[in-house]
Every structure is written in structure tokens, then in C-alpha cells.
Amino acid sequence: MDGNLNFEYEVKAISSIGRAKKFVLFPLKEKVNFKPGQFVKLSNKQGLGRPYSICSPPEWQHIEFLINVNVGEFTNYLGKIEVGEILNLSRAAGHMVYNKEEKAVFITGGTGIAPMMSIIRHIALNKFEGEFYLFYSARTLNDMAFYEELLSYSGIGIINFVPTLTREKLAGFYNERISIDMIEKHIKNLEEFTYFMCGKNQFVFSIRDKLIENGVDKSSIKVEGWG
Ligand SMILES: Cc1cc2nc3c(=O)[nH]c(=O)nc-3n(C[C@H](O)[C@H](O)[C@H](O)COP(=O)(O)OP(=O)(O)OC[C@H]3O[C@@H](n4cnc5c(N)ncnc54)[C@H](O)[C@@H]3O)c2cc1C
């Protein structure tokens, strides 16, 4: 375990993706250790902070976050910061961790793609072989962060990418919320996979319950609920 409780990072780039912003941060000194799928508490100098999942894989020197801004107290602050700001990262935590499972299904919507990106990038970088599915929902294509990157992973056979847009009709996309019916159209042997789900509690727990009703063992479902 790290001796350090806090790690100082400098914001080096900020870009907008729909209602969210992507923040790229580099360590000032020591890098935080984490496993793909984990989160840290991100705080400012005044000690105001919230937990955020890491989008980047552990192999990268920098850290990426994808955060819906102007939601409440901390994200109003994050919405205004500029490149050069120094932020603190806590030690990493969280149990929705990828442990080299060879058959995995990732299910998420909106900024819940963040920990899935860390895992998928880790799989791609390490050339892990297996059968991987990503069910990813966003309101519109403009809100769908990392779409081109995910397409490239699907193009070279790393993931089976199933995107859905709930507020826009486009060829090649579902136009509905993720459901057990949608998952079963793509995966016949549900019980053979490990499931990773991230997002609002209501969304992730309703899908978890349906998976269990359909024969998936509880121990094969890893959930990160965001309240
Ligand atoms: C493990 C974990 C990982 C997370 N990862 C991410 C991530 O990668 N990306 C991301 O975008 N988010 C993530 N979150 C959510 C994040 O931690 C914050 O909860 C979120 O950014 C909102 O913080 P805030 O300070 O802006 O809102 P807060 O001020 O804490 O407000 C929280 C909610 O209350 C509402 N609210 C605030 N004030 C009022 C009021 N006066 N009256 C009524 N309602 C009010 C807000 O609209 C908001 O919905 C994660 C959460 C967890 C638990």
C-alpha cells in the first residue's frame, strides 16, 4: 500500500463532451496507484471534493476523468477551473475491479463509461484475449464520450460494442434504454460472463436483479453505484 494519502496533480487539458468535461491531469511528484475500475476522491485546495472514477488505465502516466459539470457544489467549481489548477487525489478505492476475466460484459450509461474505459484500455494495451461486450447508453451521439476510440477497439475485435442513444435516432444504434432483452439479443449464455456495471443505483441494481433472475450468479456481478 502507498504511504501517501494524497497525490498532487496538475490539470493539463480540459475538453467538453456534451454536458460533461474530460480532465487530463499529470502528477507533480508521485503517481497514485490504482486498479482498472477504481475511483479516487478528487479535491481542491480548500478540501472540497467528491469521488470520481478514473478513465485512464494504470499503465498511463497521466490520469483522465470524465465528469458531468454544473450539477452541484463541486462540479460548479470544476466547471470553472482552467489548465494549471492543482488538485489532490486520494488513494484509490472500489471493488468493481477487473481481474483478467476472459468473458466480461460492461454495462453503463453517460459518465459511467469512465471506469469501463480504464478497464477496456487496460485490456487493449495488454492484448488480453477474451470475449468482451460493452453496452453503453447516452442521450445523443454528442454526449457519447470516447465513441471513436471504442469504435476502433470494436473494429479490431477487442470488444463487441453495443451503443444506444435514448434521445436520438441514428442507424447502427439502438434507440432505447439498456435492458435485459437487449443484452440477451447479443449474449445467449449469460451465466458464463462476469458483469461490470456502473451508474445510478436505480439503473445498475435493476439490471443486476434481472441478470440474477436469468441465472447469473451474484458473485459474477460487480457494481459501482453512484447514488
Ligand atoms: C464511486 C463514485 C464514482 C463516481 N464517479 C463519477 C464520474 O466518473 N463522473 C461523474 O460525473 N460523477 C461521478 N460520481 C458522482 C460524483 O461523486 C458527485 O456526486 C457529482 O459530481 C455531483 O457532485 P456535486 O458536488 O457537483 O453535487 P452535490 O452538490 O453533491 O449535489 C448532489 C446532487 O444533489 C443535487 N442538489 C445539490 N444541491 C441541491 C439543492 N439545494 N436542492 C436540491 N438538489 C440539490 C444536485 O443536483 C445533485 O444531483 C461518482 C460517485 C461515486 C460514489
Side-chain angles (χ1 to χ4, degrees), residues 150-194:
L150 290 166
L151 262 193
S152 75
Y153 295 142
S154 115
I156 54 175
I158 292 173
I159 52 164
N160 297 288
F161 182 26
V162 186
T164 178
L165 302 175
T166 53
R167 298 196 190 173
E168 186 175 27
K169 281 192 178 167
L170 284 180
F173 293 81
Y174 279 101
N175 178 222
E176 60 195 59
R177 285 162 181 258
I178 299 170
S179 64
I180 190 75
D181 294 342
M182 183 192 288
I183 297 167
E184 280 190 311
K185 275 187 196 144
H186 296 267
I187 304 172
K188 297 293 165 232
N189 38 354
L190 289 178
E191 67 288 350
E192 291 180 10
F193 288 80
T194 300

mmCIF file of all heavy atoms in Angstrom, residues 150-194:
data_model
loop_
_atom_site.group_PDB
_atom_site.id
_atom_site.type_symbol
_atom_site.label_atom_id
_atom_site.label_comp_id
_atom_site.label_asym_id
_atom_site.label_seq_id
_atom_site.Cartn_x
_atom_site.Cartn_y
_atom_site.Cartn_z
ATOM 1 N N LEU A 150 -13.817 3.777 -28.882
ATOM 2 C CA LEU A 150 -14.495 2.485 -28.684
ATOM 3 C C LEU A 150 -14.758 1.803 -30.021
ATOM 4 O O LEU A 150 -14.622 0.579 -30.144
ATOM 5 C CB LEU A 150 -15.799 2.703 -27.908
ATOM 6 C CG LEU A 150 -15.573 3.086 -26.441
ATOM 7 C CD1 LEU A 150 -16.854 3.624 -25.807
ATOM 8 C CD2 LEU A 150 -15.042 1.885 -25.648
ATOM 9 N N LEU A 151 -15.106 2.630 -31.038
ATOM 10 C CA LEU A 151 -15.293 2.054 -32.384
ATOM 11 C C LEU A 151 -14.010 1.398 -32.864
ATOM 12 O O LEU A 151 -14.039 0.327 -33.483
ATOM 13 C CB LEU A 151 -15.626 3.166 -33.374
ATOM 14 C CG LEU A 151 -17.064 3.429 -33.761
ATOM 15 C CD1 LEU A 151 -17.089 4.356 -34.976
ATOM 16 C CD2 LEU A 151 -17.839 2.153 -34.039
ATOM 17 N N SER A 152 -12.880 2.045 -32.581
ATOM 18 C CA SER A 152 -11.611 1.478 -33.052
ATOM 19 C C SER A 152 -11.325 0.157 -32.342
ATOM 20 O O SER A 152 -10.837 -0.791 -32.960
ATOM 21 C CB SER A 152 -10.455 2.471 -32.902
ATOM 22 O OG SER A 152 -10.080 2.564 -31.555
ATOM 23 N N TYR A 153 -11.655 0.052 -31.047
ATOM 24 C CA TYR A 153 -11.459 -1.222 -30.346
ATOM 25 C C TYR A 153 -12.391 -2.292 -30.916
ATOM 26 O O TYR A 153 -12.025 -3.452 -31.021
ATOM 27 C CB TYR A 153 -11.725 -1.077 -28.838
ATOM 28 C CG TYR A 153 -10.751 -0.174 -28.126
ATOM 29 C CD1 TYR A 153 -11.172 0.677 -27.110
ATOM 30 C CD2 TYR A 153 -9.396 -0.166 -28.454
ATOM 31 C CE1 TYR A 153 -10.275 1.508 -26.447
ATOM 32 C CE2 TYR A 153 -8.507 0.676 -27.800
ATOM 33 C CZ TYR A 153 -8.947 1.504 -26.795
ATOM 34 O OH TYR A 153 -8.064 2.334 -26.154
ATOM 35 N N SER A 154 -13.602 -1.866 -31.287
ATOM 36 C CA SER A 154 -14.525 -2.860 -31.835
ATOM 37 C C SER A 154 -14.075 -3.272 -33.240
ATOM 38 O O SER A 154 -14.176 -4.438 -33.620
ATOM 39 C CB SER A 154 -15.959 -2.324 -31.759
ATOM 40 O OG SER A 154 -16.511 -2.127 -32.979
ATOM 41 N N GLY A 155 -13.509 -2.295 -33.984
ATOM 42 C CA GLY A 155 -13.036 -2.580 -35.345
ATOM 43 C C GLY A 155 -11.926 -3.619 -35.376
ATOM 44 O O GLY A 155 -11.811 -4.375 -36.343
ATOM 45 N N ILE A 156 -11.091 -3.660 -34.334
ATOM 46 C CA ILE A 156 -10.007 -4.655 -34.328
ATOM 47 C C ILE A 156 -10.349 -5.852 -33.438
ATOM 48 O O ILE A 156 -9.478 -6.647 -33.066
ATOM 49 C CB ILE A 156 -8.636 -4.040 -33.938
ATOM 50 C CG1 ILE A 156 -8.721 -3.291 -32.607
ATOM 51 C CG2 ILE A 156 -8.118 -3.126 -35.039
ATOM 52 C CD1 ILE A 156 -7.385 -2.772 -32.096
ATOM 53 N N GLY A 157 -11.626 -5.967 -33.080
ATOM 54 C CA GLY A 157 -12.106 -7.184 -32.419
ATOM 55 C C GLY A 157 -11.828 -7.280 -30.931
ATOM 56 O O GLY A 157 -11.957 -8.354 -30.350
ATOM 57 N N ILE A 158 -11.467 -6.158 -30.286
ATOM 58 C CA ILE A 158 -11.200 -6.229 -28.840
ATOM 59 C C ILE A 158 -12.507 -6.289 -28.057
ATOM 60 O O ILE A 158 -12.623 -7.021 -27.076
ATOM 61 C CB ILE A 158 -10.319 -5.041 -28.387
ATOM 62 C CG1 ILE A 158 -8.926 -5.195 -28.990
ATOM 63 C CG2 ILE A 158 -10.251 -4.946 -26.850
ATOM 64 C CD1 ILE A 158 -8.009 -4.034 -28.780
ATOM 65 N N ILE A 159 -13.500 -5.472 -28.478
ATOM 66 C CA ILE A 159 -14.804 -5.517 -27.797
ATOM 67 C C ILE A 159 -15.927 -5.665 -28.816
ATOM 68 O O ILE A 159 -15.788 -5.253 -29.969
ATOM 69 C CB ILE A 159 -15.101 -4.240 -26.958
ATOM 70 C CG1 ILE A 159 -14.915 -2.963 -27.798
ATOM 71 C CG2 ILE A 159 -14.288 -4.211 -25.679
ATOM 72 C CD1 ILE A 159 -15.530 -1.731 -27.185
ATOM 73 N N ASN A 160 -17.048 -6.208 -28.351
ATOM 74 C CA ASN A 160 -18.303 -6.149 -29.088
ATOM 75 C C ASN A 160 -19.028 -4.928 -28.529
ATOM 76 O O ASN A 160 -19.430 -4.927 -27.366
ATOM 77 C CB ASN A 160 -19.124 -7.415 -28.842
ATOM 78 C CG ASN A 160 -18.396 -8.642 -29.350
ATOM 79 O OD1 ASN A 160 -18.277 -8.854 -30.544
ATOM 80 N ND2 ASN A 160 -17.866 -9.443 -28.421
ATOM 81 N N PHE A 161 -19.157 -3.904 -29.362
ATOM 82 C CA PHE A 161 -19.648 -2.604 -28.892
ATOM 83 C C PHE A 161 -21.123 -2.461 -29.261
ATOM 84 O O PHE A 161 -21.477 -2.522 -30.440
ATOM 85 C CB PHE A 161 -18.793 -1.515 -29.558
ATOM 86 C CG PHE A 161 -19.122 -0.106 -29.171
ATOM 87 C CD1 PHE A 161 -19.706 0.209 -27.949
ATOM 88 C CD2 PHE A 161 -18.809 0.934 -30.036
ATOM 89 C CE1 PHE A 161 -19.989 1.521 -27.604
ATOM 90 C CE2 PHE A 161 -19.075 2.250 -29.703
ATOM 91 C CZ PHE A 161 -19.668 2.539 -28.487
ATOM 92 N N VAL A 162 -21.967 -2.282 -28.221
ATOM 93 C CA VAL A 162 -23.407 -2.134 -28.458
ATOM 94 C C VAL A 162 -23.836 -0.764 -27.918
ATOM 95 O O VAL A 162 -24.164 -0.621 -26.734
ATOM 96 C CB VAL A 162 -24.206 -3.255 -27.750
ATOM 97 C CG1 VAL A 162 -25.686 -3.161 -28.126
ATOM 98 C CG2 VAL A 162 -23.641 -4.632 -28.073
ATOM 99 N N PRO A 163 -23.824 0.269 -28.779
ATOM 100 C CA PRO A 163 -24.192 1.608 -28.307
ATOM 101 C C PRO A 163 -25.688 1.869 -28.453
ATOM 102 O O PRO A 163 -26.319 1.395 -29.400
ATOM 103 C CB PRO A 163 -23.404 2.520 -29.250
ATOM 104 C CG PRO A 163 -23.244 1.745 -30.513
ATOM 105 C CD PRO A 163 -23.325 0.281 -30.164
ATOM 106 N N THR A 164 -26.242 2.629 -27.522
ATOM 107 C CA THR A 164 -27.653 3.013 -27.653
ATOM 108 C C THR A 164 -27.822 4.492 -27.309
ATOM 109 O O THR A 164 -27.195 4.994 -26.367
ATOM 110 C CB THR A 164 -28.571 2.107 -26.792
ATOM 111 O OG1 THR A 164 -29.921 2.578 -26.935
ATOM 112 C CG2 THR A 164 -28.201 2.070 -25.331
ATOM 113 N N LEU A 165 -28.633 5.176 -28.111
ATOM 114 C CA LEU A 165 -28.900 6.607 -27.897
ATOM 115 C C LEU A 165 -30.364 6.759 -27.513
ATOM 116 O O LEU A 165 -31.251 6.333 -28.259
ATOM 117 C CB LEU A 165 -28.611 7.393 -29.183
ATOM 118 C CG LEU A 165 -27.187 7.273 -29.723
ATOM 119 C CD1 LEU A 165 -27.055 8.005 -31.063
ATOM 120 C CD2 LEU A 165 -26.166 7.816 -28.720
ATOM 121 N N THR A 166 -30.623 7.330 -26.336
ATOM 122 C CA THR A 166 -32.007 7.368 -25.855
ATOM 123 C C THR A 166 -32.784 8.559 -26.419
ATOM 124 O O THR A 166 -34.000 8.570 -26.394
ATOM 125 C CB THR A 166 -32.055 7.392 -24.314
ATOM 126 O OG1 THR A 166 -31.228 8.460 -23.857
ATOM 127 C CG2 THR A 166 -31.573 6.072 -23.732
ATOM 128 N N ARG A 167 -32.073 9.588 -26.915
ATOM 129 C CA ARG A 167 -32.790 10.766 -27.407
ATOM 130 C C ARG A 167 -32.428 11.144 -28.837
ATOM 131 O O ARG A 167 -32.591 12.292 -29.245
ATOM 132 C CB ARG A 167 -32.527 11.962 -26.492
ATOM 133 C CG ARG A 167 -33.023 11.723 -25.101
ATOM 134 C CD ARG A 167 -33.127 12.996 -24.318
ATOM 135 N NE ARG A 167 -33.372 12.704 -22.918
ATOM 136 C CZ ARG A 167 -33.372 13.599 -21.955
ATOM 137 N NH1 ARG A 167 -33.141 14.860 -22.241
ATOM 138 N NH2 ARG A 167 -33.611 13.256 -20.715
ATOM 139 N N GLU A 168 -31.900 10.170 -29.578
ATOM 140 C CA GLU A 168 -31.544 10.453 -30.974
ATOM 141 C C GLU A 168 -31.638 9.151 -31.752
ATOM 142 O O GLU A 168 -31.177 8.114 -31.259
ATOM 143 C CB GLU A 168 -30.117 11.002 -31.042
ATOM 144 C CG GLU A 168 -29.690 11.470 -32.406
ATOM 145 C CD GLU A 168 -28.296 12.113 -32.398
ATOM 146 O OE1 GLU A 168 -27.467 11.768 -31.529
ATOM 147 O OE2 GLU A 168 -28.045 12.928 -33.285
ATOM 148 N N LYS A 169 -32.242 9.229 -32.954
ATOM 149 C CA LYS A 169 -32.329 8.018 -33.780
ATOM 150 C C LYS A 169 -31.240 8.061 -34.836
ATOM 151 O O LYS A 169 -31.213 8.969 -35.668
ATOM 152 C CB LYS A 169 -33.704 7.947 -34.455
ATOM 153 C CG LYS A 169 -34.778 7.465 -33.530
ATOM 154 C CD LYS A 169 -36.059 7.130 -34.250
ATOM 155 C CE LYS A 169 -37.050 6.604 -33.228
ATOM 156 N NZ LYS A 169 -38.393 6.510 -33.703
ATOM 157 N N LEU A 170 -30.355 7.086 -34.814
ATOM 158 C CA LEU A 170 -29.285 7.019 -35.808
ATOM 159 C C LEU A 170 -29.079 5.564 -36.210
ATOM 160 O O LEU A 170 -29.184 4.665 -35.365
ATOM 161 C CB LEU A 170 -27.967 7.540 -35.233
ATOM 162 C CG LEU A 170 -27.771 9.050 -35.062
ATOM 163 C CD1 LEU A 170 -26.396 9.325 -34.471
ATOM 164 C CD2 LEU A 170 -27.900 9.777 -36.406
ATOM 165 N N ALA A 171 -28.765 5.349 -37.489
ATOM 166 C CA ALA A 171 -28.504 3.984 -37.959
ATOM 167 C C ALA A 171 -27.308 3.413 -37.199
ATOM 168 O O ALA A 171 -26.335 4.124 -36.930
ATOM 169 C CB ALA A 171 -28.205 4.012 -39.452
ATOM 170 N N GLY A 172 -27.400 2.150 -36.831
ATOM 171 C CA GLY A 172 -26.283 1.491 -36.149
ATOM 172 C C GLY A 172 -26.352 1.600 -34.636
ATOM 173 O O GLY A 172 -25.489 1.069 -33.930
ATOM 174 N N PHE A 173 -27.372 2.315 -34.146
ATOM 175 C CA PHE A 173 -27.527 2.467 -32.686
ATOM 176 C C PHE A 173 -28.920 1.986 -32.286
ATOM 177 O O PHE A 173 -29.881 2.199 -33.030
ATOM 178 C CB PHE A 173 -27.452 3.946 -32.276
ATOM 179 C CG PHE A 173 -26.115 4.571 -32.490
ATOM 180 C CD1 PHE A 173 -25.753 5.030 -33.762
ATOM 181 C CD2 PHE A 173 -25.222 4.725 -31.446
ATOM 182 C CE1 PHE A 173 -24.518 5.626 -33.967
ATOM 183 C CE2 PHE A 173 -23.990 5.312 -31.652
ATOM 184 C CZ PHE A 173 -23.629 5.763 -32.917
ATOM 185 N N TYR A 174 -29.015 1.388 -31.106
ATOM 186 C CA TYR A 174 -30.334 1.212 -30.520
ATOM 187 C C TYR A 174 -30.866 2.594 -30.154
ATOM 188 O O TYR A 174 -30.095 3.549 -29.989
ATOM 189 C CB TYR A 174 -30.244 0.374 -29.236
ATOM 190 C CG TYR A 174 -30.162 -1.113 -29.437
ATOM 191 C CD1 TYR A 174 -28.947 -1.796 -29.342
ATOM 192 C CD2 TYR A 174 -31.314 -1.853 -29.693
ATOM 193 C CE1 TYR A 174 -28.882 -3.169 -29.512
ATOM 194 C CE2 TYR A 174 -31.250 -3.240 -29.853
ATOM 195 C CZ TYR A 174 -30.030 -3.879 -29.762
ATOM 196 O OH TYR A 174 -29.963 -5.242 -29.914
ATOM 197 N N ASN A 175 -32.174 2.686 -29.990
ATOM 198 C CA ASN A 175 -32.798 3.956 -29.577
ATOM 199 C C ASN A 175 -33.671 3.676 -28.352
ATOM 200 O O ASN A 175 -34.849 3.976 -28.325
ATOM 201 C CB ASN A 175 -33.608 4.511 -30.772
ATOM 202 C CG ASN A 175 -34.327 5.803 -30.449
ATOM 203 O OD1 ASN A 175 -35.480 6.005 -30.817
ATOM 204 N ND2 ASN A 175 -33.654 6.688 -29.750
ATOM 205 N N GLU A 176 -33.093 3.042 -27.348
ATOM 206 C CA GLU A 176 -33.844 2.672 -26.137
ATOM 207 C C GLU A 176 -32.860 2.500 -24.981
ATOM 208 O O GLU A 176 -31.642 2.440 -25.191
ATOM 209 C CB GLU A 176 -34.586 1.357 -26.382
ATOM 210 C CG GLU A 176 -33.658 0.205 -26.711
ATOM 211 C CD GLU A 176 -34.360 -1.012 -27.309
ATOM 212 O OE1 GLU A 176 -34.994 -0.865 -28.372
ATOM 213 O OE2 GLU A 176 -34.240 -2.108 -26.724
ATOM 214 N N ARG A 177 -33.427 2.415 -23.756
ATOM 215 C CA ARG A 177 -32.576 2.179 -22.593
ATOM 216 C C ARG A 177 -32.025 0.753 -22.616
ATOM 217 O O ARG A 177 -32.663 -0.138 -23.189
ATOM 218 C CB ARG A 177 -33.397 2.347 -21.317
ATOM 219 C CG ARG A 177 -33.680 3.778 -20.992
ATOM 220 C CD ARG A 177 -34.833 3.877 -20.019
ATOM 221 N NE ARG A 177 -35.091 5.273 -19.738
ATOM 222 C CZ ARG A 177 -34.704 5.888 -18.619
ATOM 223 N NH1 ARG A 177 -34.110 5.207 -17.660
ATOM 224 N NH2 ARG A 177 -34.924 7.165 -18.444
ATOM 225 N N ILE A 178 -30.914 0.533 -21.957
ATOM 226 C CA ILE A 178 -30.355 -0.824 -21.883
ATOM 227 C C ILE A 178 -31.292 -1.692 -21.041
ATOM 228 O O ILE A 178 -31.759 -1.261 -19.986
ATOM 229 C CB ILE A 178 -28.950 -0.799 -21.242
ATOM 230 C CG1 ILE A 178 -27.997 0.050 -22.104
ATOM 231 C CG2 ILE A 178 -28.399 -2.218 -21.073
ATOM 232 C CD1 ILE A 178 -26.658 0.343 -21.431
ATOM 233 N N SER A 179 -31.590 -2.870 -21.525
ATOM 234 C CA SER A 179 -32.499 -3.774 -20.809
ATOM 235 C C SER A 179 -31.947 -5.193 -20.911
ATOM 236 O O SER A 179 -31.061 -5.479 -21.732
ATOM 237 C CB SER A 179 -33.880 -3.745 -21.470
ATOM 238 O OG SER A 179 -33.757 -4.245 -22.791
ATOM 239 N N ILE A 180 -32.531 -6.079 -20.111
ATOM 240 C CA ILE A 180 -32.125 -7.477 -20.171
ATOM 241 C C ILE A 180 -32.436 -8.061 -21.559
ATOM 242 O O ILE A 180 -31.674 -8.869 -22.090
ATOM 243 C CB ILE A 180 -32.770 -8.307 -19.021
ATOM 244 C CG1 ILE A 180 -32.153 -9.707 -18.927
ATOM 245 C CG2 ILE A 180 -34.271 -8.370 -19.156
ATOM 246 C CD1 ILE A 180 -30.810 -9.760 -18.331
ATOM 247 N N ASP A 181 -33.542 -7.582 -22.181
ATOM 248 C CA ASP A 181 -33.885 -8.072 -23.530
ATOM 249 C C ASP A 181 -32.790 -7.707 -24.530
ATOM 250 O O ASP A 181 -32.410 -8.512 -25.380
ATOM 251 C CB ASP A 181 -35.220 -7.482 -24.000
ATOM 252 C CG ASP A 181 -36.379 -7.973 -23.151
ATOM 253 O OD1 ASP A 181 -36.193 -9.000 -22.465
ATOM 254 O OD2 ASP A 181 -37.430 -7.317 -23.149
ATOM 255 N N MET A 182 -32.293 -6.485 -24.415
ATOM 256 C CA MET A 182 -31.226 -6.047 -25.326
ATOM 257 C C MET A 182 -29.975 -6.914 -25.108
ATOM 258 O O MET A 182 -29.349 -7.389 -26.065
ATOM 259 C CB MET A 182 -30.885 -4.575 -25.062
ATOM 260 C CG MET A 182 -29.839 -4.015 -25.995
ATOM 261 S SD MET A 182 -29.217 -2.408 -25.433
ATOM 262 C CE MET A 182 -30.583 -1.342 -25.767
ATOM 263 N N ILE A 183 -29.638 -7.152 -23.852
ATOM 264 C CA ILE A 183 -28.430 -7.933 -23.547
ATOM 265 C C ILE A 183 -28.575 -9.358 -24.098
ATOM 266 O O ILE A 183 -27.652 -9.891 -24.726
ATOM 267 C CB ILE A 183 -28.157 -7.929 -22.021
ATOM 268 C CG1 ILE A 183 -27.880 -6.500 -21.549
ATOM 269 C CG2 ILE A 183 -26.985 -8.844 -21.669
ATOM 270 C CD1 ILE A 183 -27.895 -6.313 -20.034
ATOM 271 N N GLU A 184 -29.779 -9.923 -23.920
ATOM 272 C CA GLU A 184 -30.000 -11.318 -24.378
ATOM 273 C C GLU A 184 -29.996 -11.463 -25.900
ATOM 274 O O GLU A 184 -29.751 -12.545 -26.415
ATOM 275 C CB GLU A 184 -31.324 -11.840 -23.817
ATOM 276 C CG GLU A 184 -31.165 -12.286 -22.374
ATOM 277 C CD GLU A 184 -32.389 -13.027 -21.867
ATOM 278 O OE1 GLU A 184 -33.500 -12.490 -22.059
ATOM 279 O OE2 GLU A 184 -32.224 -14.112 -21.282
ATOM 280 N N LYS A 185 -30.249 -10.346 -26.611
ATOM 281 C CA LYS A 185 -30.168 -10.419 -28.082
ATOM 282 C C LYS A 185 -28.721 -10.659 -28.530
ATOM 283 O O LYS A 185 -28.469 -11.185 -29.597
ATOM 284 C CB LYS A 185 -30.663 -9.106 -28.693
ATOM 285 C CG LYS A 185 -32.159 -9.063 -28.853
ATOM 286 C CD LYS A 185 -32.585 -7.833 -29.617
ATOM 287 C CE LYS A 185 -34.075 -7.647 -29.410
ATOM 288 N NZ LYS A 185 -34.492 -6.266 -29.324
ATOM 289 N N HIS A 186 -27.768 -10.244 -27.700
ATOM 290 C CA HIS A 186 -26.356 -10.348 -28.082
ATOM 291 C C HIS A 186 -25.622 -11.497 -27.400
ATOM 292 O O HIS A 186 -24.626 -11.991 -27.912
ATOM 293 C CB HIS A 186 -25.635 -9.026 -27.762
ATOM 294 C CG HIS A 186 -26.161 -7.889 -28.575
ATOM 295 N ND1 HIS A 186 -25.602 -7.512 -29.767
ATOM 296 C CD2 HIS A 186 -27.239 -7.090 -28.391
ATOM 297 C CE1 HIS A 186 -26.290 -6.507 -30.272
ATOM 298 N NE2 HIS A 186 -27.299 -6.226 -29.458
ATOM 299 N N ILE A 187 -26.116 -11.877 -26.205
ATOM 300 C CA ILE A 187 -25.403 -12.902 -25.430
ATOM 301 C C ILE A 187 -26.379 -14.020 -25.073
ATOM 302 O O ILE A 187 -27.378 -13.774 -24.392
ATOM 303 C CB ILE A 187 -24.810 -12.304 -24.134
ATOM 304 C CG1 ILE A 187 -23.892 -11.119 -24.490
ATOM 305 C CG2 ILE A 187 -24.042 -13.348 -23.353
ATOM 306 C CD1 ILE A 187 -23.420 -10.347 -23.283
ATOM 307 N N LYS A 188 -26.104 -15.207 -25.517
ATOM 308 C CA LYS A 188 -27.022 -16.335 -25.271
ATOM 309 C C LYS A 188 -26.739 -17.005 -23.919
ATOM 310 O O LYS A 188 -27.650 -17.333 -23.184
ATOM 311 C CB LYS A 188 -26.899 -17.381 -26.395
ATOM 312 C CG LYS A 188 -27.315 -16.842 -27.752
ATOM 313 C CD LYS A 188 -28.821 -16.534 -27.803
ATOM 314 C CE LYS A 188 -29.164 -15.669 -29.004
ATOM 315 N NZ LYS A 188 -29.939 -14.452 -28.638
ATOM 316 N N ASN A 189 -25.470 -17.188 -23.598
ATOM 317 C CA ASN A 189 -25.081 -17.919 -22.381
ATOM 318 C C ASN A 189 -24.694 -16.929 -21.283
ATOM 319 O O ASN A 189 -23.523 -16.821 -20.903
ATOM 320 C CB ASN A 189 -23.919 -18.860 -22.705
ATOM 321 C CG ASN A 189 -22.940 -18.205 -23.683
ATOM 322 O OD1 ASN A 189 -23.186 -17.111 -24.192
ATOM 323 N ND2 ASN A 189 -21.830 -18.864 -23.915
ATOM 324 N N LEU A 190 -25.711 -16.212 -20.780
ATOM 325 C CA LEU A 190 -25.477 -15.115 -19.821
ATOM 326 C C LEU A 190 -24.628 -15.539 -18.626
ATOM 327 O O LEU A 190 -23.792 -14.776 -18.134
ATOM 328 C CB LEU A 190 -26.823 -14.615 -19.278
ATOM 329 C CG LEU A 190 -27.736 -13.838 -20.219
ATOM 330 C CD1 LEU A 190 -29.026 -13.470 -19.495
ATOM 331 C CD2 LEU A 190 -27.052 -12.586 -20.740
ATOM 332 N N GLU A 191 -24.856 -16.781 -18.147
ATOM 333 C CA GLU A 191 -24.228 -17.209 -16.887
ATOM 334 C C GLU A 191 -22.719 -17.458 -17.018
ATOM 335 O O GLU A 191 -22.030 -17.611 -16.014
ATOM 336 C CB GLU A 191 -24.942 -18.461 -16.333
ATOM 337 C CG GLU A 191 -24.795 -19.743 -17.136
ATOM 338 C CD GLU A 191 -25.566 -19.765 -18.464
ATOM 339 O OE1 GLU A 191 -26.390 -18.859 -18.711
ATOM 340 O OE2 GLU A 191 -25.322 -20.685 -19.262
ATOM 341 N N GLU A 192 -22.204 -17.430 -18.255
ATOM 342 C CA GLU A 192 -20.759 -17.682 -18.423
ATOM 343 C C GLU A 192 -19.901 -16.422 -18.227
ATOM 344 O O GLU A 192 -18.679 -16.493 -18.233
ATOM 345 C CB GLU A 192 -20.502 -18.235 -19.830
ATOM 346 C CG GLU A 192 -21.046 -19.638 -20.006
ATOM 347 C CD GLU A 192 -20.795 -20.178 -21.405
ATOM 348 O OE1 GLU A 192 -20.045 -19.554 -22.180
ATOM 349 O OE2 GLU A 192 -21.388 -21.234 -21.713
ATOM 350 N N PHE A 193 -20.564 -15.255 -18.088
ATOM 351 C CA PHE A 193 -19.817 -13.991 -18.083
ATOM 352 C C PHE A 193 -19.737 -13.357 -16.698
ATOM 353 O O PHE A 193 -20.570 -13.623 -15.829
ATOM 354 C CB PHE A 193 -20.493 -12.990 -19.032
ATOM 355 C CG PHE A 193 -20.313 -13.335 -20.484
ATOM 356 C CD1 PHE A 193 -21.100 -14.308 -21.088
ATOM 357 C CD2 PHE A 193 -19.342 -12.700 -21.241
ATOM 358 C CE1 PHE A 193 -20.928 -14.641 -22.427
ATOM 359 C CE2 PHE A 193 -19.158 -13.026 -22.575
ATOM 360 C CZ PHE A 193 -19.953 -13.993 -23.173
ATOM 361 N N THR A 194 -18.733 -12.488 -16.515
ATOM 362 C CA THR A 194 -18.678 -11.607 -15.341
ATOM 363 C C THR A 194 -19.187 -10.235 -15.792
ATOM 364 O O THR A 194 -18.831 -9.773 -16.886
ATOM 365 C CB THR A 194 -17.234 -11.471 -14.822
ATOM 366 O OG1 THR A 194 -16.775 -12.776 -14.471
ATOM 367 C CG2 THR A 194 -17.168 -10.580 -13.600
#
